[in-house]
């Protein structure tokens, strides 16, 4: 076990590391701005792209340039209409929620932790404004808008409004009376007519025609509003949860409802050069109202994840920001940078979280947690993977006859009272494998089965099943990406793993051997194409001498350097004195540092779960995709893995197959992280444990 001494995350230390805002001027970046100096060769079938693009919240044009902002202070710029992107340092680690350019050169970005940034060179460099007198350190800022005269407004939760009349040289805090309208101010717009509009989580629209006037309040109903845009002159459009769209022809004095064919949440919008209006939101929705039209209709072939921002590039290209990162639409198809190598953005976290290896390694790593029970087997767990494939030429596992036959086979063996294995699961069991949607009036998590509970599955349903599998990030883990195989998982009882119960062990082998035997009269449309037993166990790692014995020699004796998949779990060794928001920020910063410094494989952080919990609690508003201000109360999308009451471990690194040197690389990275963040006699420790996955075919 490796232990590193590190204190809490201080901004100065993170700036020195270059962690803040994904700071990097390296030329070794791909189109998403992500370092590509190493590619994963993980036997866990993780995408070879080490650094998937981050979640991005908003984007805007700065002349011909596109600037996007997102989680952990990320800023990307594109000078070729979104075809490629490069990293720009923001100097902060807080999620950036909005960006707005006044001219080709001058722009503003705002975010969590009172972050206000300004650029005067088109987004190449950014200055952080110190507005301590006007903004509390923990104040979240949701949106920013400027007019051509340099007058601007910043809004946020707790009825926060900050205004400037001189291009940002001086700022004034406006105090709103505590009325019945919503306290979270989610969006702001300044119309060409000079009218100013603000929308709230209480479905209110605040408006005024002159700077300094009192705000007039219009109540839309009870559905949260998440954004507002100008449509030219005094026209405006407000939008939000459950397909809510409101139109005002007179600067916010009056409003009328606009029909939308979709009832998902809308998060961003843009007036296009042809007079049409685009709205984007949940489920990858892209809805268009034609110029002069009366209704919004969804486009076809939508991307997988939520879209949070939209802009129009050159030649009418539609540029997008969302949970898959930054992308664009071309030839009626959507492209997100890095997606050619697998899942990107938040879908990467879903993919890693859904792997059997993840729950297994947490089970071993968290011996004293409330979330997982310690196995009798001590330092190992085992499970079985049964691969099924189509029997007929030209068929795959989603061919209806094949898929339905496999489902019946799964239910048959699961209902066997003599089954010697535990927790049989696959796509037909929604307790383990479902796709998750944030929706409804409060953005609550909804869990839907991969396969609806109804008789049969038809060819007409195939496009929807394929989309659900991708949304749940189950390709290459439960179902192969080419749809040639589907996997059934089952746990080996802990007493068998521990070497007890030889009779049960023999029963398991007989049962598995029997699965491969197909009766001669059988006409089933699939085959059992492979069976593997998988053992995950903790191994000591690193050349240390203890009691006169070199641990590297001891590792060789226990097979620690045999080919296998390696996972590395990084934890706080101290489980007391926990400040959950601070620990989650530490986890987020650690994960960002490991990705930037070429960690040997993809990184899954407990902060990824916390960020999604925040979104769920805030009306599915992706501007809350942050660890800042985290509170533990109700409606958690994912229960944070935890040791005692504190989130722990901090992160899991999915290493390469058979590379025994990568543990030492990680040790070095953790030493650097701990040393540069800050050292102190009272500092808490980070520790790393190494686990190996070994597979045996039956």
């Amino acid at each position: 076990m490796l232990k590193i001494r590190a204190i809490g995350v201080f901004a100065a230390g993170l700036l020195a590391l270059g962690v803040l805002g994904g700071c990097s001027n390296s030329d070794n970046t791909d189109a998403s701005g992500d370092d590509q100096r190493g590619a994963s060769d993980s036997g866990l079938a993780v995408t070879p792209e080490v650094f998937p693009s981050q979640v991005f919240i908003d984007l805007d044009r700065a002349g011909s340039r596109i600037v996007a902002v997102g989680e952990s202070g990320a800023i990307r710029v594109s000078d070729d209409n979104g075809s490629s992107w490069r990293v720009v340092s923001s100097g902060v680690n807080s999620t950036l929620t909005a960006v707005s350019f006044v001219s080709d050169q001058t722009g503003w970005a705002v975010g969590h932790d009172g972050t206000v940034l300004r650029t005067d060179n088109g987004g190449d460099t950014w200055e952080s404004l110190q507005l301590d007198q006007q903004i509390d350190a923990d104040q979240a800022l949701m949106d920013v808008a400027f007019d051509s005269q340099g007058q601007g407004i910043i809004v946020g939760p707790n009825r926060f409004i900050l205004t400037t009349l001189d291009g940002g040289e001086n700022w004034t805090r406006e105090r709103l009376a505590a009325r019945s309208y919503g306290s979270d101010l989610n969006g702001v717009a300044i119309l060409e007519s000079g009218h100013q509009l603000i929308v709230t989580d209480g479905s209110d629209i605040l408006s005024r025609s002159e700077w300094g006037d009192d705000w007039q309040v219009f109540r839309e109903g009870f559905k949260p509003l998440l954004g507002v845009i100008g449509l030219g002159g005094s026209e405006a459009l407000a939008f939000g949860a459950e397909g809510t769209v409101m139109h005002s022809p007179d600067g916010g004095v009056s409003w009328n409802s606009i029909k939308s064919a979709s009832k998902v949440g809308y998060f961003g919008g843009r007036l296009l050069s042809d007079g049409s209006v685009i709205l984007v939101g949940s489920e990858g929705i892209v809805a268009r109202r034609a110029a002069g039209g009366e209704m919004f209709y969804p486009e076809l072939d939508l991307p997988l994840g939520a879209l949070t921002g939209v802009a129009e590039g050159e030649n009418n290209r539609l540029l997008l920001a969302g949970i898959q990162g930054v992308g664009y639409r071309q030839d009626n198809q959507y492209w997100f940078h890095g997606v050619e190598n697998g899942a990107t953005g938040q879908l990467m976290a879903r993919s890693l979280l859904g792997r059997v290896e993840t729950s297994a390694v947490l089970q071993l790593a968290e011996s004293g947690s409330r979330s997982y029970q310690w196995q009798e087997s001590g330092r190992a767990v085992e499970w079985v993977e049964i691969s099924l494939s189509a029997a007929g030429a030209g068929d795959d596992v989603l061919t209806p006859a094949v898929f339905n036959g496999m489902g019946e086979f799964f239910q048959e063996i699961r209902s066997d009272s003599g089954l010697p294995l535990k927790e049989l699961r696959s796509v037909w069991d929604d307790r383990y494998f479902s796709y998750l949607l944030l929706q409804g009036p409060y953005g609550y998590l909804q869990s839907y089965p991969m396969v609806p509970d109804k008789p049969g599955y038809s060819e007409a349903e195939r496009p929807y099943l394929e989309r659900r599998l991708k949304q749940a990030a189950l390709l290459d883990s439960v179902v192969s990406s080419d749809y040639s195989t589907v996997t059934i998982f089952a746990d080996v009882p802990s007493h068998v793993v521990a070497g007890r119960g030889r009779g049960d062990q023999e029963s398991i082998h007989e049962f598995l051997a029997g699965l491969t035997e197909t009766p001669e009269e059988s006409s089933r449309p699939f085959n059992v194409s492979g069976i593997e037993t998988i053992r995950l166990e903790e191994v000591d790692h690193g050349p240390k001498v203890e009691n006169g014995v070199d641990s590297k020699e001891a590792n060789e004796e226990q097979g620690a350097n045999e080919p296998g998949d390696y996972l590395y779990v990084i934890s706080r060794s101290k489980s007391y004195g926990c400040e959950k928001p601070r620990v989650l920020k530490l986890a987020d910063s650690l994960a960002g540092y490991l990705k930037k410094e070429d960690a040997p494989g993809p990184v899954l952080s407990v902060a990824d779960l916390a960020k999604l919990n925040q979104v769920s609690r805030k009306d599915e508003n992706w501007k809350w995709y942050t660890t800042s201000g985290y509170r533990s109360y109700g409606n958690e999308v994912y229960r944070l893995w935890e040791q005692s009451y504190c989130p722990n471990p901090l992160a899991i690194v999915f290493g390469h197959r058979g590379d025994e040197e990568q543990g030492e690389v990680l040790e070095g990275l953790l030493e650097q992280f701990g040393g540069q963040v800050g050292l102190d006699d009272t500092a808490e420790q980070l520790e790393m444990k190494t686990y190996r996955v070994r597979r045996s075919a039956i």
Side-chain angles (χ1 to χ4, degrees):
M1 178 190 301
L2 166 76
K3 291 192 175 182
I4 308 294
R5 299 190 64 79
I7 63 174
V9 179
F10 294 109
L14 292 175
L15 281 168
L17 283 170
V19 172
L20 298 187
C23 307
S24 173
N25 293 318
S26 171
D27 292 330
N28 298 315
T29 55
D30 73 347
S32 64
D34 298 317
D35 195 328
Q36 290 294 295
R37 289 170 292 177
S40 171
D41 186 31
S42 172
L44 301 178
V46 177
T47 169
E49 184 184 44
V50 177
F51 306 126
S53 55
Q54 295 169 291
V55 171
F56 281 83
I57 310 298
D58 196 18
L59 71 173
D60 197 15
R61 286 190 64 165
S64 61
R65 171 176 288 181
I66 308 297
V67 180
V69 301
E71 65 168 311
S72 303
I75 298 181
R76 305 286 186 268
V77 300
S78 174
D79 292 311
D80 56 6
N81 209 26
S83 295
S84 64
W85 298 79
R86 62 183 174 89
V87 177
V88 169
S89 171
S90 68
V92 299
N93 198 40
S94 303
T95 291
L96 300 175
T97 57
V99 61
S100 177
F101 274 81
V102 183
S103 67
D104 293 0
Q105 298 298 311
T106 301
W108 299 84
V110 299
H112 287 265
D113 304 312
T115 301
V116 180
L117 305 177
R118 174 175 176 156
T119 180
D120 288 304
N121 55 16
D124 284 330
T125 60
W126 294 80
E127 174 192 4
S128 180
L129 274 63
Q130 303 303 312
L131 301 175
D132 298 343
Q133 299 300 315
Q134 294 90 356
I135 308 177
D136 294 337
D138 60 353
Q139 175 68 51
L141 305 176
M142 295 287 105
D143 204 1
V144 57
F146 271 81
D147 64 17
S148 59
Q149 307 303 314
Q151 301 172 117
I153 306 176
I154 297 172
V155 299
N158 302 314
R159 300 182 176 87
F160 181 89
I161 300 179
L162 195 66
T163 61
T164 180
L165 302 177
D166 55 11
E169 296 298 324
N170 297 282
W171 293 86
T172 302
R173 175 77 182 271
E174 290 193 16
R175 304 290 177 178
L176 288 177
R179 299 180 181 175
S180 59
Y181 50 74
S183 65
D184 283 5
L185 310 186
N186 290 326
V188 60
I190 303 175
L191 308 184
E192 291 178 352
S193 61
H195 291 85
Q196 304 146 47
L197 305 173
I198 297 174
V199 296
T200 81
D201 66 332
S203 76
D204 310 292
I205 306 174
L206 283 61
S207 66
R208 67 184 182 189
S209 59
E210 299 291 339
W211 292 87
D213 285 356
D214 290 337
W215 294 91
Q216 305 301 310
V217 181
F218 178 90
R219 169 60 62 87
E220 182 276 327
F222 299 98
K223 298 171 185 176
L225 294 173
L226 301 174
V228 59
I229 59 173
L231 300 181
S234 60
E235 276 194 86
L237 203 71
F239 44 85
E242 295 190 84
T244 300
V245 185
M246 303 292 295
H247 174 262
S248 174
D250 50 18
V253 176
S254 63
W255 294 84
N256 59 285
S257 179
I258 297 293
K259 293 181 180 179
S260 171
S262 175
K263 295 303 179 184
V264 301
Y266 290 123
F267 307 142
R270 188 75 62 168
L271 172 67
L272 304 184
S273 57
D274 64 0
S276 63
V277 182
I278 287 284
L279 295 178
V280 298
S282 293
E283 284 291 276
I285 189 69
V286 178
R288 181 188 296 266
R289 187 187 73 174
E294 297 183 352
M295 187 171 180
F296 281 89
Y297 294 96
E299 306 267 282
L300 300 177
D301 300 320
L302 299 176
L304 295 176
L307 298 174
T308 55
V310 58
E312 184 178 17
E314 296 178 344
N315 302 318
N316 309 116
R317 173 179 278 188
L318 206 61
L319 300 157
L320 303 162
I323 71 168
Q324 288 183 270
V326 286
Y328 58 86
R329 187 183 66 188
Q330 183 169 311
D331 300 328
N332 295 320
Q333 295 192 5
Y334 296 89
W335 188 261
F336 288 86
H337 294 288
V339 75
E340 68 274 13
N341 292 325
T344 59
Q346 205 271 331
L347 292 186
M348 170 61 83
R350 293 189 194 182
S351 174
L352 297 176
L353 187 66
R355 295 188 179 280
V356 175
E357 292 88 348
T358 302
S359 59
V361 78
L362 288 173
Q363 180 174 305
L364 290 182
E366 302 177 30
S367 58
S369 75
R370 297 196 302 259
S371 301
Y372 298 89
Q373 295 298 319
W374 184 246
Q375 293 278 348
E376 297 176 44
S377 52
R379 296 170 62 184
V381 292
E382 292 183 8
W383 65 93
V384 173
E385 296 183 3
I386 305 165
S387 297
L388 308 179
S389 60
D395 289 342
D396 61 22
V397 296
L398 297 192
T399 300
V402 177
F403 190 79
N404 291 330
M406 289 178 173
E408 293 173 0
F409 175 73
F410 170 78
Q411 299 296 346
E412 178 183 338
I413 59 176
R414 188 170 70 165
S415 62
D416 184 352
S417 59
L419 182 68
L421 297 167
K422 298 170 55 181
E423 302 296 333
L424 202 74
R425 55 201 183 274
S426 192
V427 292
W428 299 276
D429 187 349
D430 61 1
R431 293 178 303 165
Y432 291 95
F433 299 110
S434 60
Y435 69 105
L436 308 175
L437 299 180
L438 290 168
Q439 64 178 29
Y442 303 105
Y444 286 150
L445 175 75
Q446 305 291 323
S447 178
Y448 294 90
M450 299 302 303
V451 183
D453 186 14
K454 66 178 186 62
Y457 148 81
S458 67
E459 186 65 31
E461 296 174 88
R462 176 168 181 144
Y464 305 101
L465 179 56
E466 288 185 5
R467 182 175 175 84
R468 289 195 295 269
L469 289 168
K470 293 174 182 176
Q471 286 175 319
L474 295 182
L475 294 186
D476 284 329
S477 58
V478 182
V479 179
S480 62
S481 58
D482 61 357
Y483 305 115
S484 63
T485 61
V486 63
T487 303
I488 296 174
F489 304 90
D491 294 337
V492 176
S494 57
H495 69 279
V496 176
V497 178
R500 299 188 297 274
R502 174 169 292 276
D504 290 336
Q505 186 177 35
E506 292 175 352
S507 296
I508 291 174
H509 280 279
E510 290 176 4
F511 169 77
L512 295 176
L515 292 180
T516 61
E517 299 174 0
T518 304
E520 293 183 3
E521 69 276 8
S522 173
S523 60
R524 68 186 189 188
F526 65 91
N527 297 319
V528 176
S529 53
I531 301 177
E532 286 186 313
T533 59
I534 296 89
R535 180 180 178 90
L536 184 144
E537 57 193 351
E538 182 182 352
V539 295
D540 292 327
H541 189 88
K544 300 186 289 286
V545 176
E546 297 179 358
N547 299 324
V549 178
D550 189 321
S551 64
K552 192 167 186 177
E553 295 179 3
N555 287 343
E556 293 174 354
E557 290 182 6
Q558 61 172 300
N561 293 333
E562 292 179 6
D565 302 325
Y566 287 88
L567 290 85
Y568 304 90
V569 177
I570 304 166
S571 306
R572 297 169 66 248
S573 58
K574 183 174 71 174
S575 61
Y576 55 87
C578 173
E579 299 175 18
K580 186 171 286 187
R582 175 183 166 280
V583 171
L584 291 172
K585 280 193 173 185
L586 173 64
D588 196 26
S589 297
L590 172 64
Y593 177 76
L594 292 176
K595 294 174 184 178
K596 174 183 176 293
E597 294 300 322
D598 207 359
V603 180
L604 177 65
S605 168
V606 67
D608 296 322
L609 315 187
K611 291 177 181 180
L612 199 55
N613 284 342
Q614 293 267 70
V615 174
S616 175
R617 294 176 183 136
K618 290 292 185 177
D619 308 323
E620 197 189 357
N621 187 346
W622 283 91
K623 292 183 177 182
W624 285 96
Y625 193 73
T626 176
T627 58
S628 298
Y630 187 90
R631 297 292 182 268
S632 180
Y633 58 89
N635 194 33
E636 287 192 343
V637 176
Y638 295 113
R639 183 170 60 176
L640 299 182
W641 63 61
E642 57 188 5
Q643 178 175 303
S644 183
Y645 61 90
C646 194
N648 214 25
L650 301 182
I652 303 172
V653 180
F654 295 76
H656 309 319
R657 168 167 290 181
D659 182 359
E660 65 271 16
E661 302 298 328
Q662 59 194 340
E664 296 179 12
V665 173
L666 264 179
E667 289 178 2
L669 291 179
L670 291 179
E671 290 280 5
Q672 294 172 26
F673 177 79
Q676 295 188 50
V677 166
L679 295 175
D680 167 298
D681 288 340
T682 62
E684 62 189 37
Q685 293 183 328
L686 295 181
E687 61 184 31
M688 185 182 81
K689 293 182 179 180
T690 301
Y691 299 85
R692 182 184 59 241
V693 179
R694 291 194 293 179
R695 296 172 175 268
S696 301
I698 294 180

